Amino acid sequence: MGKSALITGASRGIGRAIAEALAGEGMDLYLLCHNNIEMLDELACRLTERYSISCHTFCGDVADSEFIDMVFSNIDSLDVLINNAGISHIGLLQDMTNEEWNKIINTNLSGVFYCCRAAIPLMLSSHSGRIINISSMWGSVGASMEVAYSTTKGGMNSFTKALAKELAPSNIVVNAIACGVIDTDMNSCFNDEEMSDLINDIPIGRLGKPSEVAQVVLELASAPEYMTGQIIGMDGGYI
Ligand code: NAD
């Protein structure tokens, strides 16, 4: 039987690139998105035809534990879990509402908890598995105007390290990729001038590509099990 992977936030951006890369390795996929099921189904159709894999799609909120439990009730075995879905919030902390705070915490952190909690029993039964969390460099160093976002990614990094320790005896590997600025819709809030300032701060002189993050995911998915609990920097030398 082929290997399988579940990717959250797979309809676009980094998640979509990861889906394409894992499909290219012949993995069967469970793809989740929040709203755009048409776009996700179109991706699933294309990957199924091109790579002769199976693709199951689900549409819902990762912050809804009942939705995540429903998704996992359709899955018998899972080799790789990619916690990619996430949102950003740009603004002064003093202006942030309770609703905005809760939304980012629930999406970026609780969603990861719900997915891991549901995936772990499947991985325990095969005494193997890979969990890869898509984090941010701001989780290590913090970003002004992105305090809540930095908090969620810092939490994700601690979650990664702690869960790696908890699951290492069961041969389940947990790592995170701390991305720098990657060229996706998440950064469409920046105007040309802000983007040019941002790029000037990146030593390599350009944004990262979603396909480059996907390449690191592929490498982590096949790296030795001894490499666990790591936060892998992927930021063009920014940090
Ligand atoms: P994106 O906005 O293009 O994609 C985010 C994905 O998450 C979308 O598919 C969206 O539908 C999904 N999503 C958002 N809220 C959701 C919810 N409540 N339930 C289910 N799905 C939800 O952005 P991206 O850049 O591809 O981001 C992917 C991940 O990479 C995020 O976790 C983000 O924090 C992280 N990241 C991105 C950058 C960057 O510069 N683009 C940098 C560091 C980390």
Side-chain angles (χ1 to χ4, degrees):
M1 210 168 70
K3 291 203 165 193
S4 61
L6 184 147
I7 306 161
T8 64
S11 60
R12 66 183 211 190
I14 294 170
R16 188 179 180 93
I18 294 170
E20 286 173 350
L22 294 181
E25 294 295 302
M27 282 198 193
D28 293 326
L29 299 179
Y30 298 94
L31 303 178
L32 276 61
C33 74
H34 195 194
N35 297 312
N36 204 333
I37 191 68
E38 291 80 17
M39 198 190 268
L40 193 69
D41 283 339
E42 172 273 321
L43 173 68
C45 266
R46 190 163 55 73
L47 296 179
T48 304
E49 276 176 24
R50 181 158 180 203
Y51 298 109
S52 303
I53 57 164
S54 78
C55 271
H56 300 273
T57 58
F58 302 89
C59 189
D61 188 348
V62 286
D64 174 357
S65 65
E66 288 179 8
F67 166 67
I68 295 301
D69 289 345
M70 179 282 290
V71 170
F72 276 86
S73 70
N74 289 279
I75 302 177
D76 293 328
S77 73
L78 188 70
D79 299 288
V80 181
L81 167 65
I82 316 285
N83 287 305
N84 166 76
I87 53 173
S88 62
H89 177 92
I90 299 189
L92 294 171
L93 185 76
Q94 71 214 43
D95 296 333
M96 197 168 189
T97 66
N98 292 354
E99 290 70 28
E100 288 166 338
W101 173 266
N102 289 332
K103 186 175 178 199
I104 195 166
I105 297 286
N106 289 337
T107 305
N108 293 8
L109 268 182
S110 304
V112 176
F113 160 54
Y114 300 144
C115 288
C116 289
R117 183 176 60 182
I120 288 166
L122 298 174
M123 293 179 172
L124 285 175
S125 67
S126 61
H127 200 67
S128 69
R130 306 268 164 159
I131 297 174
I132 302 171
N133 297 323
I134 306 301
S135 188
S136 162
M137 61 180 176
W138 301 135
S140 315
V141 297
S144 168
M145 304 284 283
E146 295 194 65
V147 174
Y149 181 75
S150 303
T151 302
T152 63
K153 296 303 187 180
M156 177 184 252
N157 292 350
S158 307
F159 180 100
T160 299
K161 291 181 187 194
L163 189 62
K165 288 180 177 161
E166 191 165 306
L167 295 179
S170 307
N171 206 36
I172 299 169
V173 170
V174 189
N175 289 299
I177 303 172
C179 300
V181 191
I182 310 297
D183 192 8
T184 70
D185 289 343
M186 184 170 271
N187 295 312
S188 58
C189 53
F190 297 115
N191 64 33
D192 288 350
E193 195 185 338
E194 289 166 334
M195 192 50 83
S196 155
D197 288 346
L198 207 49
I199 291 171
N200 282 338
D201 286 339
I202 305 171
I204 204 167
R206 64 169 176 84
L207 303 183
K209 299 177 198 158
S211 60
E212 290 176 303
V213 182
Q215 199 180 334
V216 178
V217 167
L218 277 190
E219 279 159 21
L220 279 179
S222 61
E225 281 111 12
Y226 211 71
M227 184 172 162
T228 192
Q230 302 306 304
I231 314 301
I232 316 294
M234 172 73 193
D235 58 21
Y238 201 117
I239 301 295

